[in-house]
Amino acid sequence: MAIVVRIDVELARRKMSVGDFAQRVGISPANVAVLKNGRAKAVRLSTLESMCEVLDCQPGDLLEWVSDTPPQADPG
């Protein structure tokens, strides 16, 4: 299972810089990079809430679950 973070998509849609986003959310630009690059192991719900507030979006707009196993063939 993989969680894909789509912050870059939402930032691009709003033409918002990483620095501006980080400042408004209250995290460092380095932490935004960790999130964007998929290296984060956890995200506080309060941080996720702030990100959604700043971007005026839902958590599902920022996070997506992608299966890492290929679909099985239909036996029938």
Side-chain angles (χ1 to χ4, degrees), residues 48-66:
L48 182 59
E49 181 180 5
S50 293
M51 292 189 299
C52 289
E53 184 176 346
V54 167
L55 296 173
D56 189 28
C57 67
Q58 295 295 313
D61 297 329
L62 300 176
L63 303 173
E64 178 184 4
W65 175 79
V66 179

Side-chain angles (χ1 to χ4, degrees), residues 2-75:
I3 301 292
V4 178
V5 181
R6 304 251 182 238
I7 292 173
D8 52 346
V9 173
E10 296 301 320
L11 289 176
R13 291 175 77 193
R14 289 158 180 79
K15 296 182 172 100
M16 185 181 294
S17 71
V18 169
D20 185 38
F21 175 69
Q23 182 179 13
R24 292 175 65 186
V25 171
I27 60 176
S28 71
N31 282 339
V32 175
V34 168
L35 287 167
K36 283 177 49 176
N37 295 325
R39 294 178 302 189
K41 299 295 180 194
V43 179
R44 289 182 182 193
L45 291 178
S46 59
T47 302
L48 182 59
E49 181 180 5
S50 293
M51 292 189 299
C52 289
E53 184 176 346
V54 167
L55 296 173
D56 189 28
C57 67
Q58 295 295 313
D61 297 329
L62 300 176
L63 303 173
E64 178 184 4
W65 175 79
V66 179
S67 176
D68 58 359
T69 57
Q72 294 183 357
D74 187 9

